[in-house]
Amino acid sequence: MKNLKLTKPIALLLSGLMITGSFAFSASAADLTTSATNSETSVVSKSISEVTELLNATAYSTYIDNYAEMPKAKSSVTIDALNYDAALTTAAVKKDTYGGVQALYTPETGTVGYKVNIPADGLYAIDMEYFPIAGKASNIERALRIDGKIPFKESRYLSMTKNWIFDLSDVGETTTVFKQDPDGNDVRPSSIDSPVW
């Protein structure tokens, strides 16, 4: 009988907590402002400005429709990644050789700026060559800005894939024998980074 006497009050208490608990949550952000110099901005305001910029950007289909009358470019412009503008660059970049080619390493944070002379108005296609150094398993993500602005939403998240191969280091040289699980099923080998240009 004791268990029955406590069951109803506990059930009532738990249901009351569930009902009031759903209304009692609130959240607030910490003040992350920095005041070292006037040129520095708060983390919060920077994030808000980035979100606002992204929300105000148009889709690529709308962007291209706005320039429907613009002719396709008749010439190409090549930008050497090593000739970046230090005044426009905030990233800790590093010049090094990757895959036998002199290149510019760009970290996950910061920006790399270039001053480019475009010979004529027109629609230009952008093609980037990159070397995905081994490390994280995720794709490389970068943003493209023209004159400091996101031209369309899709340029905010440019994803560059990595090259993966099966790790066959423990497989014989002349035969391909895969490891097997206890039931005799072949086990897929793990994947490893295999960077290529």
Side-chain angles (χ1 to χ4, degrees):
M1 284 299 220
K2 282 186 176 182
N3 289 341
L4 292 176
K5 288 182 181 179
L6 293 177
T7 303
K8 288 183 181 179
I10 289 173
L12 184 62
L13 177 66
L14 288 175
S15 64
L17 286 173
M18 288 174 54
I19 291 170
T20 58
S22 65
F23 299 112
F25 291 106
S26 64
S28 60
D31 184 16
L32 298 175
T33 58
T34 57
S35 58
T37 65
N38 291 336
S39 64
E40 293 180 348
T41 58
S42 73
V43 172
V44 174
S45 67
K46 183 176 181 185
S47 297
I48 290 172
S49 67
E50 287 177 352
V51 170
T52 302
E53 180 183 27
L54 181 59
L55 290 173
N56 291 336
T58 61
Y60 179 73
S61 58
T62 304
Y63 177 82
I64 205 71
D65 286 345
N66 291 340
Y67 294 98
E69 301 300 318
M70 186 69 64
K72 290 185 179 178
K74 298 199 184 321
S75 62
S76 64
V77 177
T78 302
I79 302 169
D80 184 358
L82 297 172
N83 295 330
Y84 66 94
D85 187 333
L88 299 174
T89 300
T90 62
V93 296
K94 179 177 71 171
K95 295 179 182 180
D96 206 344
T97 302
Y98 300 99
V101 177
Q102 186 74 9
L104 186 71
Y105 168 78
T106 59
E108 294 179 8
T109 59
T111 59
V112 180
Y114 296 91
K115 288 189 177 179
V116 181
N117 293 320
I118 305 299
D121 289 345
L123 295 176
Y124 289 83
I126 297 174
D127 181 33
M128 290 187 281
E129 293 181 9
Y130 64 96
F131 187 83
I133 61 173
K136 294 185 177 182
S138 59
N139 288 339
I140 302 164
E141 291 185 355
R142 297 292 185 262
L144 172 70
R145 287 184 163 81
I146 298 174
D147 294 330
K149 296 180 180 149
I150 299 289
F152 45 87
K153 287 181 184 180
E154 293 84 353
S155 71
R156 178 70 176 96
Y157 299 104
L158 301 177
S159 182
M160 296 169 263
T161 59
K162 292 187 165 193
N163 189 50
W164 298 91
I165 60 170
F166 288 129
D167 182 8
L168 302 175
S169 58
D170 57 349
V171 177
E173 290 182 24
T174 58
T175 60
T176 305
V177 179
F178 295 103
K179 291 181 182 177
Q180 294 185 335
D181 65 11
D183 295 326
N185 298 315
D186 288 345
V187 176
R188 179 182 293 190
S190 59
S191 297
I192 56 173
D193 267 332
S194 178
V196 293
W197 280 98

